Amino acid sequence: MRTIMELATAPNVSDFYLVLSKLDLQGLRKKSIELGIKIRAVWEPIIEKRRKHDVPLSQQDFLDTLLQNNFTNERIHQL
């Protein structure tokens, strides 16, 4: 969580100078992608486990609701 917050709040030089917007001078884009891959690796088994087990309606959470509405893993990760 700390790394997510650090990346989200880090000032990006490319945001201040439009000419540099295509460049990843500080490596923030690369770090964000790497972090996304790590987070996805943690969540995939959780999502798959939930897909296999039915949870009583009274104990459902947001993920259970998404799975009931046939959201794909890809769509869940985009949220």
Side-chain angles (χ1 to χ4, degrees):
M1 196 61 168
R2 172 181 242 171
T3 307
I4 293 171
M5 292 306 297
E6 288 173 357
L7 282 173
T9 60
N12 191 350
V13 176
S14 300
D15 291 339
F16 298 108
Y17 302 102
L18 294 178
V19 175
L20 303 174
S21 64
K22 299 287 183 189
L23 304 174
D24 189 20
L25 297 175
Q26 297 164 279
L28 295 176
R29 189 176 306 135
K30 180 182 176 187
K31 290 176 188 175
S32 296
I33 291 170
E34 290 171 355
L35 184 59
I37 291 169
K38 288 179 184 178
I39 291 170
R40 190 176 192 139
V42 171
W43 278 104
E44 280 293 323
I46 294 169
I47 293 171
E48 290 306 317
K49 182 179 177 184
R50 291 280 190 94
R51 274 192 198 283
K52 294 176 184 173
H53 299 302
D54 286 333
V55 177
L57 192 59
S58 63
Q59 295 179 354
Q60 286 187 345
D61 60 10
F62 186 63
L63 178 57
D64 294 318
T65 303
L66 293 175
L67 294 174
Q68 272 186 345
N69 289 300
N70 299 320
F71 276 63
T72 64
N73 288 11
E74 187 66 34
R75 183 67 179 124
I76 292 171
H77 288 298
Q78 290 175 354
L79 298 173

